Amino acid sequence: MPFHRLPAAVLVGVLAAIPCICVAQQDAQKEVERYRQLLAEGNPADLFEARGEELWKTPRGPKKASLEQCDLGLGAGVLKGAFAQLPRYFADTDRVQDLESRLVTCRVSLQGIDPAEAVRNPFSAPGRPSDMEALASFVAGQSRGMKLAAPLRHPKEIEAFQTGEQLFYRRAGPHDFACVSCHGENGKRIRLQELPKLTDPHDAQKIFTTWPAYRVSQGSVRTMQHRLYDCYWQMRHPQMDYISEASIALEVFMAKYANGGEIQAPGLKR
């Protein structure tokens, strides 16, 4: 029955219930925020940062070299603030790279690790820790408190943004989903989980700047690459390859709206 044809008594009951629903949602959100504050008092990501620092400084690979001369965009070995200016274009690879793809480049070029080995096991599982998650945690932590300032000047950065924009709005898969299906409007949620509008700087700055993050539900740090991989899986799209151009293009697109937000990575998620 159309809403406007409901019996008066029923209609009054429905309308009366709306404020109760809103209050219940607000109360639930307050409890979620309280839960997050309690968790933040001891972020297990600290342990991943410490392991990442050890991996960064320890000579490894056929060349028996550390990663201390890795150029993350601000010069060889410069860590402070480097994550805050990613993704960006790198002349030596002639491509736009995010943190993880750049770390792979350094592992291959500096340490002599085989490219296939360098991208093996990017996401941890029980009993199988990931070096990439630890390294990403360490590097991201060196920009904590700084403002995100991912550049969007080089032609390939602009091209990546345009590709990311197309991917964000492109519907596909058995459910006809796109990124925008969940992240294109304010006020959306799945159960207790808020769905940020990623083209709204207010939301984007709060979300993008907290990855990588420790996921309490998964007992591990998860990176932005994992977040995108998982989103594509949930949409039932074809698998997104690790550090693919498509994944980096989406990061460039999101970073544009998140620029100016304060880096709080590695963050903490439920």
Side-chain angles (χ1 to χ4, degrees):
M1 179 182 294
F3 186 80
H4 67 277
R5 290 191 176 182
L6 286 173
V10 175
L11 184 58
V12 169
V14 171
L15 295 176
I18 291 176
C20 296
I21 294 171
C22 293
V23 169
Q25 289 180 339
Q26 291 171 1
D27 289 344
Q29 186 57 39
K30 287 179 181 178
E31 288 302 310
V32 170
E33 291 300 328
R34 179 172 172 272
Y35 170 71
R36 288 172 177 164
Q37 289 172 5
L38 291 172
L39 288 177
E41 293 176 3
N43 190 344
D46 293 346
L47 301 175
F48 288 77
E49 280 193 72
R51 179 168 174 264
E53 182 176 12
E54 182 180 355
L55 290 170
W56 182 266
K57 295 178 178 178
T58 301
R60 303 175 73 203
K63 294 184 179 181
K64 304 298 181 186
S66 72
L67 291 172
E68 292 173 294
Q69 291 304 305
C70 178
D71 183 356
L72 294 169
L74 301 183
V78 179
L79 279 172
K80 196 74 172 176
F83 177 68
Q85 297 188 40
L86 291 172
R88 67 185 301 155
Y89 172 78
F90 288 85
D92 59 352
T93 58
D94 192 31
R95 59 179 295 211
V96 176
Q97 295 185 279
D98 66 347
L99 173 58
E100 291 168 82
S101 60
R102 192 60 187 173
L103 286 171
V104 168
T105 294
C106 288
R107 295 180 75 192
V108 171
S109 61
L110 295 177
Q111 298 180 317
I113 296 174
D114 182 79
E117 180 62 29
V119 297
R120 197 185 312 278
N121 189 35
F123 310 138
S124 61
R128 194 189 71 201
S130 166
D131 289 352
M132 292 302 298
E133 289 172 348
L135 285 166
S137 298
F138 169 62
V139 173
Q142 304 306 300
S143 292
R144 192 182 290 111
M146 297 183 178
K147 300 292 186 181
L148 180 68
L152 194 59
R153 297 183 297 269
H154 191 277
K156 290 205 171 182
E157 293 168 350
I158 296 171
E159 180 183 7
F161 172 83
Q162 293 169 341
T163 300
E165 184 176 36
Q166 292 174 356
L167 290 170
F168 185 81
Y169 290 102
R170 180 178 181 271
R171 294 181 177 273
H175 301 305
D176 194 34
F177 272 12
C179 301
V180 72
S181 301
C182 290
H183 300 291
E185 298 177 37
N186 294 117
K188 279 192 170 183
R189 66 171 60 240
I190 294 179
R191 296 179 294 277
L192 291 179
Q193 181 63 50
E194 289 182 287
L195 296 173
K197 182 180 179 181
L198 294 177
T199 54
D200 181 338
H202 178 265
D203 282 3
Q205 289 172 1
K206 287 198 306 181
I207 299 301
F208 189 81
T209 56
T210 57
W211 293 93
Y214 183 83
R215 295 296 302 268
V216 175
S217 58
Q218 299 178 20
S220 182
V221 161
R222 295 307 189 192
T223 62
M224 179 56 74
Q225 282 284 330
H226 183 275
R227 179 67 268 176
L228 292 172
Y229 169 89
D230 195 41
C231 282
Y232 263 56
W233 175 81
Q234 291 184 60
M235 291 191 293
R236 303 300 186 263
H237 283 205
Q239 177 178 309
M240 176 166 278
D241 291 338
Y242 183 65
I243 62 172
S244 63
E245 289 189 14
S247 66
I248 295 169
L250 277 168
E251 288 190 49
V252 173
F253 175 75
M254 290 187 289
K256 188 260 187 185
Y257 295 97
N259 268 343
E262 184 176 304
I263 303 291
Q264 294 294 336
L268 184 68
K269 314 282 184 180
R270 65 181 178 87

